[in-house]
Amino acid sequence: MGIKAGLPRYELYLYIAVLAGALAWAASWIVEASSENVSRKAFKGSVKPGWYYFGRKMDVADFEWVMWFSTFRNHILFALSGHVIFAKIFTLLAPKHRSLVFCAYGVLAVLVTMGWTFTALVLSHCTVLYGVAVFKTKWMCFAAGLATLASIKLEPYNSWQEKLVTGSFDLQDVLFYGGCGFTIMRCMSFALENCEKKEGNYTFCDLLKYNFYLPFFFFGPVMTFDKYHAQANNTKLTRKEREMWNITTKAVLHLAVILTVDAAFHYLYILTIPGDMKLVSRLSDWCLAGLAYFNLVYDWLKAAVMFGVINTVATLDHLDPPQPPKCITMLYVFAETHFDRGINDWLCKYVYDYIGGDHDKILKELLATMSTFAITALWLGPCELVYIWSFFNCFGLNFELWVAKFFSISPFSTMEVCMGEAMSRRIRGLFNAANFWAIVLYNVLSLNSLEFAKLVGRRLIFKGFPLSTISVLLVTYCGVQLIKEHERRQALLEDEQPVKPLDGGKEKAE
């Protein structure tokens, strides 16, 4: 489909009206279900007192969000504020040694927060994987890295290591798995980049500088070693035009999103309701569809805020960190579905793209996706739900390639050329709408439960057919067309090349 085939203005406005009306309709059902069932016994563990003056209780079912913005808020703000202050001072005084200052502050913060046993454990992981890295053999680096990762994800090895970390800090276990897990992924990146180094080896100090950068240490994102090493050791520190304004704007936007999510938690119990299957089974099809969709939107918002706050600090340090994930609303292909761009970049560089090449060969793509999701399953922690999630998302990636290959052969390719760009776009939009809901169903099972995902699938595909099925797909089709129009306009902007001045600044006439 050519990027010049735009939507007529009246059609664009129609799609916007349909999509906005449907989202408001679904949200109204969820608000009603939340208000009428707030006193259910099943809600007592996850709905707590909230806005007293508005008479609203708050959904606190997401431990991670509560951890960040209540229990851990003061700790992380104190630690990151100290990092920003020290980084700014030493960046001005000794820019050549700022990466060493980042490392020293990170080690000190980890030592104070988690104790010397945890710090020693992390250093042991670094030492082992550095020892393997000096041999410059990729398969050895992968084998050692995955074995080390398995040691904190599989019993009894993870329990043995966890017992070494002692202390009374409430979030000790969370920080243990976060710190160790991201350390191992960073060490693997270091080892694999060392294999690509033509002469000599990177030093152990380089690895420590990379690993103990505090903003990324416990919660990511993972920035591959080659990028971090080049950016952290860059001494020509300049700001782009309006960069500080953009940083300030993003910080204010993150605060606005946090307040929006907080308000949503008081009126939309999107995390608590799916856990009560008796209640869920009585809800309307539109309410179920809205719950599934808003769960994924919330998970994206959470990732965008968490990584956004950390990325703001990294940008102040003159780094270009991995950006927050693409909004779930903008997704209609499995190839762009991820909630952690850092891990996604890591997997693409060292596994998916390395094995899959140009991703045009069916067998190579199958091997690449299977390898990628095998490592992802180990990273998430092997269990039945992770296996199911990995299988369906792996299938989705490959199925897209199979469909593309099938419709690229004659007579389908000839038929698409004959029908024109507008009709081709509409037909593709129908397939993309169905694909969007496949993405939602395949991922909502990891956010809520397999039972909830199965119930939503049955109601929208079988019991709700044809009315609910067609209406939901119609609304999704409108959303997909709006996304395609946005992407078309972005492509047009990117294709506009500035005309280079010729002959003393005069522009060449075309």
Side-chain angles (χ1 to χ4, degrees):
M1 182 184 67
I3 61 174
K4 294 182 179 180
L7 287 174
R9 181 162 297 188
Y10 73 88
E11 190 173 341
L12 182 66
Y13 291 155
L14 177 62
Y15 290 154
I16 294 174
V18 171
L19 186 62
L23 290 177
W25 179 250
S28 68
W29 279 97
I30 300 174
V31 171
E32 183 179 351
S34 302
S35 301
E36 292 181 352
N37 297 279
V38 66
S39 299
R40 289 177 65 88
K41 291 183 178 180
F43 283 20
K44 286 185 177 180
S46 55
V47 176
K48 301 295 183 181
W51 291 344
Y52 174 78
Y53 291 104
F54 291 92
R56 300 295 305 186
K57 292 186 177 181
M58 182 179 179
D59 187 347
V60 295
D62 188 348
F63 165 77
E64 192 173 17
W65 183 273
V66 174
M67 174 190 73
W68 267 80
F69 296 103
S70 60
T71 311
F72 197 52
R73 178 186 57 202
N74 295 333
H75 298 86
I76 193 66
L77 287 177
F78 178 78
L80 290 181
S81 297
H83 171 88
V84 170
I85 294 171
F86 278 96
K88 185 62 177 179
I89 292 173
F90 284 93
T91 296
L92 294 174
L93 297 178
K96 292 184 179 180
H97 304 291
R98 67 193 188 100
S99 61
L100 185 61
V101 173
F102 295 162
C103 175
Y105 183 85
V107 171
L108 181 62
V110 172
L111 187 63
V112 171
T113 304
M114 298 293 288
W116 71 269
T117 52
F118 175 81
T119 308
L121 180 64
V122 170
L123 288 173
S124 69
H125 290 159
C126 294
T127 303
V128 170
L129 292 174
Y130 179 80
V132 176
V134 297
F135 290 100
K136 290 193 171 185
T137 306
K138 287 187 176 181
W139 72 265
M140 289 181 61
C141 295
F142 259 108
L146 295 178
T148 309
L149 185 61
S151 71
I152 66 166
K153 296 293 183 179
L154 301 176
E155 290 287 358
Y157 312 104
N158 59 337
S159 296
W160 176 76
Q161 291 186 77
E162 190 176 1
K163 288 178 182 177
L164 296 175
V165 182
T166 58
S168 58
F169 188 40
D170 292 338
L171 300 172
Q172 199 92 27
D173 56 338
V174 177
L175 299 182
F176 166 80
Y177 285 106
C180 288
F182 282 110
T183 289
I184 294 167
M185 299 298 279
R186 285 188 288 264
C187 287
M188 289 180 68
S189 177
F190 172 88
L192 293 169
E193 294 299 332
N194 192 64
C195 293
E196 299 293 333
K197 188 175 174 62
K198 295 181 180 179
E199 297 181 0
N201 296 289
Y202 291 109
T203 66
F204 186 66
C205 186
D206 289 330
L207 174 57
L208 295 183
K209 291 177 183 178
Y210 169 51
N211 185 62
F212 281 97
Y213 179 66
L214 183 64
F216 295 164
F217 184 81
F218 286 112
F219 300 107
V222 173
M223 190 176 182
T224 55
F225 175 75
D226 57 329
K227 293 181 179 179
Y228 180 84
H229 184 71
Q231 295 174 23
N233 291 284
N234 178 27
T235 57
K236 298 179 180 179
L237 304 177
T238 58
R239 293 289 183 193
K240 298 178 182 178
E241 185 179 355
R242 295 176 61 84
E243 184 174 359
M244 288 305 299
W245 171 259
N246 292 333
I247 291 174
T248 305
T249 303
K250 288 181 179 179
V252 173
L253 179 62
H254 293 147
L255 179 60
V257 172
I258 292 171
L259 295 176
T260 301
V261 172
D262 191 62
F265 279 164
H266 285 82
Y267 290 93
L268 303 172
Y269 300 157
I270 57 173
L271 303 179
T272 295
I273 291 176
D276 187 350
M277 294 306 297
K278 290 183 179 179
L279 172 60
V280 170
S281 62
R282 299 200 303 265
L283 299 178
S284 68
D285 295 345
W286 274 101
C287 189
L288 287 179
L291 281 170
Y293 168 74
F294 284 123
N295 263 265
L296 264 71
V297 170
Y298 161 70
D299 200 63
W300 169 77
L301 284 173
K302 180 175 68 174
V305 169
M306 291 179 178
F307 291 137
V309 171
I310 292 173
N311 287 355
T312 298
V313 176
T315 306
L316 289 172
D317 292 334
H318 297 272
L319 300 181
D320 184 19
Q323 296 303 304
K326 192 173 183 180
C327 178
I328 183 64
T329 306
M330 304 290 288
L331 297 178
Y332 53 84
V333 291
F334 277 90
E336 298 181 354
T337 306
H338 52 78
F339 293 92
D340 185 336
R341 196 181 292 272
I343 293 295
N344 182 75
D345 292 346
W346 191 101
L347 289 169
C348 285
K349 180 173 185 178
Y350 300 123
V351 184
Y352 184 58
D353 292 339
Y354 182 78
I355 298 174
D358 58 3
H359 305 290
D360 193 47
K361 306 296 182 183
I362 291 178
L363 292 180
K364 289 183 68 175
E365 178 72 359
L366 181 61
L367 179 61
T369 53
M370 291 177 64
S371 301
T372 301
F373 279 102
I375 295 176
T376 304
L378 181 60
W379 162 254
L380 295 174
C383 64
E384 182 183 7
L385 194 61
V386 171
Y387 296 147
I388 296 172
W389 174 86
S390 299
F391 171 81
F392 280 112
N393 281 275
C394 182
F395 170 77
L397 267 172
N398 285 277
F399 186 71
E400 286 179 344
L401 178 60
W402 302 340
V403 172
K405 286 287 187 181
F406 179 76
F407 283 101
S408 66
I409 61 177
S410 184
F412 301 107
S413 58
T414 306
M415 291 171 58
E416 185 173 14
V417 173
C418 295
M419 71 176 60
E421 291 182 338
M423 184 57 67
S424 171
R425 173 174 174 149
R426 291 187 175 93
I427 293 175
R428 286 174 177 265
L430 289 174
F431 282 99
N432 293 147
N435 208 40
F436 177 88
W437 275 100
I439 293 173
V440 171
L441 292 176
Y442 291 173
N443 287 278
V444 78
L445 64 90
S446 65
L447 300 179
N448 292 119
S449 65
L450 180 59
E451 291 74 18
F452 177 69
K454 288 165 62 177
L455 178 61
V456 174
R458 285 197 303 268
R459 292 281 290 276
L460 294 183
I461 299 174
F462 300 108
K463 291 186 178 180
F465 186 84
L467 183 60
S468 297
T469 306
I470 295 176
S471 58
V472 168
L473 284 178
L474 176 63
V475 171
T476 309
Y477 169 82
C478 295
V480 168
Q481 291 294 0
L482 291 174
I483 297 164
K484 285 179 174 290
E485 179 65 12
H486 172 75
E487 293 174 345
R488 183 191 71 84
R489 295 185 180 186
Q490 288 295 114
L492 286 174
L493 290 175
E494 292 173 0
D495 284 351
E496 291 180 356
Q497 298 293 334
V499 181
K500 296 182 179 180
L502 299 172
D503 300 327
K506 294 181 180 179
E507 293 183 354
K508 181 180 178 180
E510 295 293 341

